[in-house]
Amino acid sequence: MKAKILLGISTCLLGKPVRYDGGHKLDRFITETLGQYVEYVPVCPEVECGMPVPRESMRLEGNPESPRLITTSTRIDKTSQMTGWAERRVLELEKENLMGFIFKSDSPSSGMERVKIYADKGTVSRKGVGFFAHAFMKHFPLLPVEDEGRLHDPVLRENFIERVFVLARWRETLAAKADRGGLVEFHTKHKLLIMSHSPRHYQEMGRLVARAKQVPLQELFSRYQRLLMEGLKLRATSKKHANVLMHMAGYFKNQLSFSEKAELLEIIELYRKELIPLIVPVTLINHYVAKYDQRYLKDQFYLHPHPIELQLRNHV
Ligand code: SF4
């Protein structure tokens, strides 16, 4: 990746003491591990909209369809202060070329889902979205977003980071070669990755690319990008991965010995049964790709979608 990858982030996750109690929520995976490959653009909605540190805590209250942001003991309604600022901030963030956002979970300002809403009759539901997170996701509906809590789940973590890296490569393609040829090249290299998330999107994108000359360029790019980001958001299950691995194994049917084939198929099957991590069959296939100089597979980002040091495919 030539250009730096910029991710928006809730400021307290970087260890900055901006929380209502003067504390922070430093997340070491985000800062020390992922932080080696991305740069962060911090956003603390409560401080940036003019609230002090420390400050009174707040919560979402009222109708779950249109909750208000209320200070917990003095009962001051901060909704318009927050929403007015959030609408201006998302416009400013357009200039940053963000590839995604990592939100702080459970916050009435920054939480992206399942934030508590205290309804009038004392009932509490987990249907809320923080005010800034809501404005951000509405303004950038295709950008990858996650919260730090969900990023502890290895499947969700890989999915988010994979989408960020794919989006970065897509933007790089648009910057370098914004024509039909650039799109075809990008698609060719991402086919198996897309297939591992959604065979349906893979087929639909294939049809769109095949008709590329008949679709106006801007419409082509925007339809392709929407399908790309929607498809990759779907979970790549072990069954879908195993199908992609079997597909790749087919490229070596004339080169592998009987015992090599049997070993590869057995490893794919062990992976399908979730007994070994994805990195095992992927490493073996990478070995055969290099050994037999398999050009098509060598270019497939499926085999190296993100830096191996992140160890995103090492879980069972
Ligand atoms: S959760 Fe959001 S509003 Fe609260 S301190 Fe962190 S960044 Fe600021």
Side-chain angles (χ1 to χ4, degrees), residues 9-13 16-20 23-25 43-48 55 58 82 103-111 132:
I9 190 161
S10 298
T11 308
C12 55
L13 294 174
K16 305 276 188 247
V18 289
R19 279 171 58 84
Y20 72 96
H24 61 75
K25 282 285 174 183
V43 180
C44 176
E46 293 174 16
V47 168
E48 291 185 30
R55 58 188 169 275
M58 285 167 285
M82 177 59 78
F103 291 108
K104 170 70 190 74
S105 58
D106 299 327
S107 155
S109 309
S110 300
F132 170 66

Side-chain angles (χ1 to χ4, degrees), residues 259-277:
S259 62
E260 282 173 328
K261 261 184 225 165
E263 184 196 23
L264 179 56
L265 295 186
E266 188 191 342
I267 284 180
I268 294 173
E269 193 50 30
L270 287 172
Y271 166 72
R272 190 199 298 273
K273 290 179 180 160
E274 302 184 353
L275 296 171
I276 58 173

Side-chain angles (χ1 to χ4, degrees), residues 74 168-169:
T74 51
R169 287 194 291 271

Side-chain angles (χ1 to χ4, degrees), residues 164-177:
V164 166
F165 274 83
V166 171
L167 183 60
R169 287 194 291 271
W170 169 245
R171 295 236 179 113
E172 212 165 73
T173 298
L174 290 183
K177 204 165 175 247

Side-chain angles (χ1 to χ4, degrees), residues 240-273:
K240 288 187 233 174
H241 274 304
N243 289 343
V244 171
L245 294 165
M246 289 297 288
H247 179 81
M248 286 194 287
Y251 281 83
F252 301 106
K253 62 175 183 281
N254 297 326
Q255 285 137 329
L256 300 189
S257 68
F258 182 79
S259 62
E260 282 173 328
K261 261 184 225 165
E263 184 196 23
L264 179 56
L265 295 186
E266 188 191 342
I267 284 180
I268 294 173
E269 193 50 30
L270 287 172
Y271 166 72
R272 190 199 298 273
K273 290 179 180 160

Side-chain angles (χ1 to χ4, degrees), residues 27 102-105 146-153 156:
D27 185 298
I102 302 176
F103 291 108
K104 170 70 190 74
S105 58
E146 265 307 347
D147 67 41
E148 94 294 352
R150 286 167 51 96
L151 282 180
H152 291 145
D153 177 313
L156 298 177

Side-chain angles (χ1 to χ4, degrees), residues 52-219:
V53 181
R55 58 188 169 275
E56 193 180 341
S57 63
M58 285 167 285
R59 62 189 205 177
L60 300 180
E61 288 192 14
N63 181 349
E65 301 304 317
S66 55
R68 313 290 299 174
L69 183 62
I70 308 286
T71 56
T72 314
S73 44
T74 51
R75 322 273 322 127
I76 298 170
D77 190 332
K78 297 281 187 181
T79 310
S80 59
Q81 180 179 347
M82 177 59 78
T83 51
W85 167 84
E87 278 162 25
R88 292 191 299 278
R89 189 69 169 107
V90 291
L91 291 175
E92 276 172 28
L93 287 171
E94 277 180 8
K95 298 181 206 119
E96 298 280 4
N97 198 25
L98 296 181
M99 307 290 173
F101 204 108
I102 302 176
F103 291 108
K104 170 70 190 74
S105 58
D106 299 327
S107 155
S109 309
S110 300
M112 59 175 263
E113 61 166 36
R114 295 180 47 75
V115 179
K116 281 184 190 163
I117 302 179
Y118 295 79
D120 301 334
K121 289 178 189 147
T123 54
V124 181
S125 68
R126 277 257 179 206
K127 293 183 181 157
V129 178
F131 275 95
F132 170 66
H134 182 264
F136 184 91
M137 293 189 289
K138 193 168 165 211
H139 198 76
F140 302 104
L142 294 178
L143 275 192
V145 293
E146 265 307 347
D147 67 41
E148 94 294 352
R150 286 167 51 96
L151 282 180
H152 291 145
D153 177 313
V155 175
L156 298 177
R157 176 184 287 190
E158 185 187 5
N159 182 291
F160 173 72
I161 295 173
E162 195 171 282
R163 282 185 286 149
V164 166
F165 274 83
V166 171
L167 183 60
R169 287 194 291 271
W170 169 245
R171 295 236 179 113
E172 212 165 73
T173 298
L174 290 183
K177 204 165 175 247
D179 57 19
R180 290 178 177 82
L183 182 136
V184 170
E185 191 182 324
F186 176 92
H187 182 67
T188 304
K189 292 180 177 175
H190 287 83
K191 275 184 177 180
L192 298 183
L193 196 67
I194 298 162
M195 198 195 274
S196 70
H197 286 268
S198 173
R200 180 172 67 77
H201 284 79
Y202 168 76
Q203 284 176 1
E204 200 174 330
M205 291 164 84
R207 284 194 291 272
L208 179 64
V209 173
R211 293 181 51 245
K213 287 198 179 121
Q214 290 126 54
V215 184
L217 201 57
Q218 280 319 311
E219 185 189 332

